Amino acid sequence: MPVAASAIYFLNLRGDVLINRLYRDDVGGNMVDAFRMHIMQTKELGTCPVRQIGGCSFFYMRISNVYLVIVVSSNANVACAFKFVVEAVALFKSYFGGQFDEDSIRNNFVLIYELLDGKNYGFGYPQNLSPEILKLYITQEGVRSPFSSKPTDKPVPNATLQVTGAVGWRREGLVYKKNEVFLDIVESVNLLMSSKGSVLRCDVTGKILMKCFLSGMPDLKLGLNDKVGLEKESQLKSRPAKSGKTIELDDVTFHQCVNLTRFNSEKTVSFVPPDGEFELMKYRITEGVNLPFRVLPTIKELGRTRMEVNVKVKSVFGAKMFALGVVVKVPVPKQTAKTSFQVTSGRAKYNAALNCIVWKIRKFPGQTESTMSAEVELISTMAEKKSSTKPPIQMEFQVPMFTASGLRVRFLKVWEKSGYNTVEWVRYITKAGSYEIRC
Amino acid sequence: MAPPPQFQRSSSPSQPSGKSEISDLKLQLRQLAGSRAPGADDAKRELFKKVISHMTVGVDVSSLFSEMVMCSATSDIVLKKMCYLYVGNYAKGNPDLALLTINFLQRDCRDEDPMIRGLALRSLCSLRVTNLVEYLVGPLGSGLKDPNAYVRTVAAMGVLKLYHISASACVDADFPSMLKRLMLNDPDSQVVANCLSSLQEIWSAEANTSEEAAREREALLSKPLVYHLLNRIKEFNEWAQCLILDLISNYIPSDNDEIFDIMNLLEDRLQHANGAVVLGTIKVFLHLTLSMADVHQQVYERIKAPLLTLMSSGSPEQSYAVLSHLHLLVMRAPVLFSSDYKHFYCQYSEPSYVKKLKLEMLTAIANESNTYEIVTELCEYAANVDVSIAREAIRAVGKIALQQYDVNAIVDRLLQFLEMEKDYVTAETLVLVKDLLRKYPQWSHDCIAVVGNISSKNVQEPKAKSALIWMLGEYSQDMPEAPYILENLIDNWDDEHSSEVRLHLLTAVMKCFFKRPPETQNALGAALAAGLADFRQDVHDRALFYYRLLQYDESTAERVVNPPKQAVSVFADTQSSELKDRIFDEFNSLSVIYQKPSYMFTGKEHRGLTDISEELGNLSVEAQPAAEALPAQIYEANDVDLLLSTSEKEEVRGPVNNSSAYRAPDYDSTTAALVSSQVPLEADLSIPGLPAYNPQVSSAIDDLLGLGLSVAPTPAPPPLALNPKAALDPGSFQRKWSQLAISSSQEFCIEPRAVVALATPQTLLRHMQGHHIQCIASGGQPPSFKFFFYAQRAGQPPSFFLVECLVNSSSARVQVKIKADDGAAAGDFSALFQAALSKFGE
């Protein structure tokens, strides 16, 4: 049995109920009290997202300043439950204009009840979370409409017939004056580097986000420079594969709109897209990752009350590109008293709350390097032991028009029976996931 | 549906000032009820919103029921929805008023708008009032035949709701067979999915009583139906796909071709964006191929990449769920991930529950090829800021060492930990070094040199201290200082509060005595004297035992305390392979997270109460029924157990082959987990029949040893029955209380409902009286209460049980001390008492 939720609660950080929905009578009425007493008020809050109290299991997630709690009494499918919460929150966000917090819940509680009640949770079973279809059922207006660029919604008389059919995620009869497709490849690089400068672990998780404003029932076909796809293509056209970089994807998952049978046989991504914004595919790459930045820290301890920190950051992507919002967080000991810096670019600041020096560079061109040298004075403490716990240096950045994996879109074809012209926009961006350098 | 009846403790912004606001609302609603004026609907909307916001924060607005119903005669669908919500919430508490709504709901069920029909039907089913069932059957029947798919989906779910209100009404109206027809023929996938989930639940519940239902449940797994669903699976939405995949995982194909057909059909599901679908598919693949070893292995290879992706994408909670499954798989196929170990390196900012599981993964996949890298990485974590992760990391290093890969280097690392001079690092390491020495006695020389330098003052944790003392006793011949350190510890006997440490101290000083008699003699005398005077029964008993043993014959005593030891070859795993298989059968469910099969944790609703009372009826001394009867305690153990590494659960099979003889016969892993902290003790008590300290079986142990108590362990004593009319005056209670020693003392959690019921402590007294346990005195202020109870055994000889019970309502913990005229029966009584207490508040 997947998830037969007995109840769903939304609580704020103090434990007040924002929303409660009881689906079944097999749990007592005061499950919130149990949650408050056994989980919120104990130190165990952060220790595990699945807890058992009495005969019931609690799955909970904190999202901004709200706890979402699902209570089940059976042997439920945990992965499904968490996935559902994540999807539901995404849905709420799309209704609330990107916000999901205590205030937006208080302002929209009737809408949430409607969402929780009707189409997407029938007697504790998840039903349907596709925003497009739901919108046909949900009559309340959110604070803001999610896709404001869209032409006004015309009421569709036979709304309920849309639930079925092969294209459950798309409504018929959409008309746009200008047919546009936006495609973003968003990659996040995860790096763990040892203090000796060797890469311990490095991978890229990427996703392709799309925004479609297309009329009718268009068929789309996407070609990437991935190895399997290219090989298959050259095999089909019986000509040798073009030389050049090919990317090996470790694993790919697709939005439900993608025709997986066709992907498996022809290795092309073809699909009828939902209207508006959606995540087309996700992938993971571990081989041949181009790290956009190298970080070379040197930390010298000069006696018991002084430290010298030198951090050199090198950008190794193309000279014509640049990174935005670069932040380097260099941890310093708790007993730091005074810091002084010299930086070749950007600004550095000591943040006592985080126990680290935060060095920010707004724009970082490619093929350059920048250094920060800091002197740190420590309060002398009685404890002789040197602190052996050193958090890693952490880095944040965004590099537009760069993919750490080297993935590129080769083509994006749109085909619709009315044969209109479309404008396609393709963007690339690489962000730092968890970019950690031990020192 | 029961919103908390009283006001929320903390005020929220929208909280009304009191009754006046509600009566104000009432007035306004009344004015609007009949109004047809333009704009009336908007005004109503505002009012309805207010009412529902009160309802949400837990304010009782049920007094507005009739006004709300009056206002609901409207064509405005938003108003209708809010009204349905309100009615659904309060109908159960006001069945008479709910009758008012039936009329308009039934009318709406015949509305021309399918949307309103569906909503009304859903609300009608959500009323949950038993005496309104008759009004439900008609609309549900026509709902199932409705031309509109949305109404049918609602009706299919509604049947299940009806079943939960009144099973007989549901079955009598022949709804299950209607659902079955619908499931096979309906063109709408959501209708089919809802029929399936309803039928699954209904047949499973009915199967216990009716053979036909059991057959029907089997029929859900029949080939035509499974194929019907499989062929359409792409039409279903993601959640319905999960449902179907779960069903298929239980299907048994007739031959291998069928297996391959199903797998080919589902292959592409592994690329689905929804992780739940991917996991569901993995379950199908794993279960289908169980009988084909080589294909099964290929399946592992195939699912590796999707699982790693699922783990590294998504929220930490999702990663947690996936990692639990990975852990289960890696235990079955350890080589599977041995080259992918880097995926399990922890990120600094990950929550600790994810890190813990990653450490377990790293431990499980360590082998010759990757041990060096993994251990190096684990050593990084030992310096982690998060103390609990640092501890886990050290334990992980130790566990890898016990797996025999690259022991040499690991021992060096462990010894380096000791030099870090952090209390918790030292503590964890000592425990590990002790285990290592038991497995690899050849390393004793290196280890002892380092351990000898540790000042016992820096070691405070009982487990670590016990480990250090064990080493001092075991290797006293190699440690020149050993007798003096032990002597020093014995001098400070009173400062040492853990009985575990005191027990170890007694044993260690005995061992030391036989190796270096002149230096230890004084210390031994002091230790035995202190032990005999100890108020803790088990410490006292062990001291007495050693004393008598020495009195009897010194050489026998030496044979008992210092026998030649064999190295422990394998640390036993408490989880039997049968248990592991059952968890594997329940792949993709909570069982994997809790690491126990579902029958061990699914709630009282499914199994509990009746069973427990039956067990109480014929309570015997066996440990298991007693433990079964204590759900509160087991749940607590579950909590503790949830993330413990396997070393915590590892039990030592001592060098003595019949060590299990003194274990309660039905000792299973649940109870073993309860006493895990004491378990390592067993190793140094290497004579047959000398037990590990264990409060639950202590009476049985006493019997075996013939210490103090003369009751023979067999045959099992008759079940403990209590005299319903026991009487004891306060004076004799006090006298007995001061005379008797504590025979059992326990601490456990009570259920939240019990805490709620404790708001009036008098109810507890009456409750316990119902179980023939009388209260003689009680007192206390929230959150801590104290009760004194007594009970008398029925029959001859009449013996009394006295109980001191401390309840802390804020932590939901209970401390119980039991004194008994007949110490042997105290264990039974304790179980009885806890069982009675655990039912409090129901």
Side-chain angles (χ1 to χ4, degrees), chain B residues 65 69 82-91 101 104-105 127:
Chain B
F65 205 99
V69 173
M82 285 198 270
C83 187
Y84 292 155
L85 184 65
Y86 174 89
V87 169
N89 208 2
Y90 286 112
T101 63
F104 89 88
L105 283 175
L127 291 181

Side-chain angles (χ1 to χ4, degrees), chain B residues 578-729:
Chain B
E578 188 202 346
L579 220 54
K580 282 180 186 161
D581 284 344
R582 285 194 81 144
I583 297 174
F584 184 71
D585 284 343
E586 293 172 344
F587 193 84
N588 202 13
S589 73
L590 269 174
S591 314
V592 181
I593 307 277
Y594 292 148
Q595 295 186 5
K596 56 183 69 162
S598 61
Y599 72 85
M600 283 190 179
F601 63 83
T602 37
K604 300 169 291 299
E605 292 78 14
H606 302 270
R607 185 191 69 92
L609 292 180
T610 48
D611 295 8
I612 290 170
S613 52
E614 273 164 28
E615 276 160 16
L616 270 183
N618 50 15
L619 196 69
S620 68
V621 277
E622 285 166 341
Q624 194 179 11
E628 291 262 66
L630 309 173
Q633 201 173 8
I634 292 177
Y635 295 143
E636 206 224 326
N638 288 348
D639 288 352
V640 177
D641 220 357
L642 218 51
L643 277 175
L644 285 187
S645 57
T646 42
S647 86
E648 284 294 293
K649 294 180 219 142
E650 267 165 9
E651 231 173 283
V652 179
R653 194 159 294 143
V656 186
N657 51 7
N658 60 346
S659 60
S660 58
Y662 48 77
R663 246 164 218 262
D666 291 324
Y667 228 52
D668 68 0
S669 60
T670 336
T671 41
L674 288 173
V675 295
S676 62
S677 60
Q678 280 94 8
V679 165
L681 261 168
E682 225 177 314
D684 43 303
L685 303 174
S686 34
I687 52 156
L690 188 61
Y693 161 64
N694 176 335
Q696 287 202 333
V697 293
S698 65
S699 58
I701 290 158
D702 288 346
D703 299 341
L704 274 170
L705 294 181
L707 273 184
L709 302 154
S710 54
V711 188
T714 51
L720 182 64
L722 295 178
N723 180 356
K725 294 194 187 86
L728 192 67
D729 63 276

